[in-house]
Amino acid sequence: MGEPLLEMRSATVDYRTAGGLVPAVRGVDLRIDAGQTLGLAGESGCGKSTLAMSVLRLLPRNAVVGGEILLGGENVTEMGWGRLRAVRWAEASVVFQGAMHALNPVQRVGEQIAEPIRVHGKGPVERRVGELLEQVGLPARRARAYPHELSGGQRQRVMIAMALACSPGLIIADEPTTALDVMVQAQVLALLSKLVDELDIGLLMISHDLSVLASTCQRLAVMYAGRIVEQGRSAEVLRQPAHPYTKALAAAFPTIGDPASRLAPRGLAGDPPDPAQLPAGCPFHPRCPSAMAECSVTDVLLRPAGEDRVSACLLEVEP
């Protein structure tokens, strides 16, 4: 295999607080190749966005990043600000959650798409902006619109056009469809899949919805308490979860056509642990319906759980 677009080796992120360092990401290993899509799932507070934003060092100043985060083989944590400025947009870019908040409300969307093109000197600006809008399914004339003149789905397409502006190899999409209705959500997901296939780029997509990730991404990684607890091919992970947390996430959403699941979805009681006060042993054991005595003292790391699958659990997945 060639060099990956993104590779994380024992990546960590801690936040400096008055009470000391608080771990948000704890030793994550991930890899994304050209043309590959990876979904990152988990509840709020599990470290998904922190992990993703560490790729381009878009974290607050009190964040301390450790391990290796290799973008095209180059360690992001060792880049100077000049090199980092050159890498952002050109090698990797971000589609943020909530386009209305990410876009400047008093600037036309065409000018916002044009900004990274000008910064990186990527050719004739006006023509490139029109090409990008058409690439994401919007007419070029919409470049003169202000964000409030566009629908939610159109604004999200503008964000995707901005992310593509400098032809990066990797796109990070942080909950790109959360605020959209079901029909528009399906259109945006189909657009992302189409762009990955046509442009041979890599996609790291974050969501709490396993079904959304499974429909868009080839591989799925599930995160809990700052660690990956399961990773494998999306269809297999969704069909037969190896980790109890993955199973709980999948069961939290009602199944279409199943009245029983619609009226009584199987949720998960409680919340993820406070990163500053992680429980001993497996961090999921206080909420795990399958927890054993050993789980409260043994912190299990990822281990094989089938073909091309790993899981951080003492339980054996049923065939």
Side-chain angles (χ1 to χ4, degrees):
M1 298 179 68
E3 189 172 67
L5 294 174
L6 173 66
E7 186 174 15
M8 294 185 174
R9 300 173 183 169
S10 302
T12 64
V13 180
D14 299 296
Y15 288 107
R16 295 190 190 93
T17 69
L21 289 176
V22 174
V25 174
R26 304 185 297 136
V28 168
D29 295 306
L30 286 177
R31 175 184 174 127
I32 301 178
D33 296 300
Q36 188 180 56
T37 53
L38 174 67
L40 189 60
E43 296 169 279
S44 296
C46 287
K48 307 184 304 297
S49 293
T50 292
L51 180 66
M53 294 305 107
S54 70
V55 174
L56 290 174
R57 284 168 51 186
L58 297 174
L59 296 171
R61 291 186 177 182
N62 67 327
V64 181
V65 182
E68 292 183 290
I69 302 175
L70 305 175
L71 197 57
E74 189 175 357
N75 196 340
V76 174
T77 63
E78 297 176 353
M79 290 181 183
W81 287 110
R83 177 58 183 155
L84 189 60
R85 179 183 173 90
V87 163
R88 291 172 176 171
W89 298 105
E91 293 189 24
S93 57
V94 183
V95 178
F96 293 101
Q97 178 182 0
M100 194 61 186
H101 302 291
L103 294 171
N104 188 332
V106 296
Q107 190 176 36
R108 298 182 195 274
V109 296
E111 281 301 306
Q112 299 186 58
I113 297 172
E115 183 176 353
I117 301 173
R118 291 195 178 100
V119 168
H120 291 276
K122 293 291 182 177
V125 175
E126 187 173 344
R127 185 177 71 185
R128 177 64 175 154
V129 169
E131 290 173 350
L132 287 164
L133 286 172
E134 290 175 357
Q135 193 171 32
V136 298
L138 292 175
R141 67 176 184 277
R142 299 305 278 166
R144 294 190 55 77
Y146 289 96
H148 71 271
E149 297 176 310
L150 302 176
S151 69
Q154 289 173 329
R155 287 194 292 267
Q156 203 62 47
R157 289 170 184 263
V158 169
M159 287 294 299
I160 295 172
M162 289 177 67
L164 294 171
C166 297
S167 303
L170 175 69
I171 290 181
I172 300 166
D174 188 0
E175 300 270 14
T177 62
T178 298
L180 306 177
D181 62 61
V182 175
M183 293 299 293
V184 177
Q185 181 183 88
Q187 293 169 6
V188 172
L189 293 176
L191 172 62
L192 286 170
S193 298
K194 174 173 172 282
L195 292 170
V196 169
D197 290 337
E198 290 181 350
L199 304 177
D200 198 33
I201 58 179
L203 172 67
L204 173 60
M205 185 168 169
I206 301 169
S207 179
H208 60 278
D209 190 334
L210 289 182
S211 61
V212 165
L213 294 177
S215 67
T216 307
C217 302
Q218 300 156 345
R219 295 185 61 77
L220 184 61
V222 180
M223 202 166 181
Y224 188 80
R227 281 185 182 167
I228 302 296
V229 296
E230 182 170 355
Q231 185 175 177
R233 289 190 287 264
S234 294
E236 295 179 7
V237 170
L238 190 62
R239 177 179 58 84
Q240 192 178 41
H243 195 283
Y245 180 61
T246 308
K247 186 175 182 179
L249 281 182
F253 293 90
T255 303
I256 295 175
D258 182 2
S261 71
R262 178 175 62 84
L263 296 174
R266 301 182 300 277
L268 182 62
D271 298 297
D274 182 345
Q277 298 178 340
L278 292 172
C282 171
F284 185 60
H285 87 264
R287 305 172 70 192
C288 182
S290 306
M292 304 175 290
E294 190 177 353
C295 299
S296 63
V297 294
T298 304
D299 188 6
V300 184
L301 301 179
L302 287 172
R303 62 183 190 172
E307 184 180 355
D308 195 23
R309 177 100 72 97
V310 290
S311 172
C313 185
L314 294 173
L315 297 174
E316 296 290 339
V317 63
E318 296 180 3

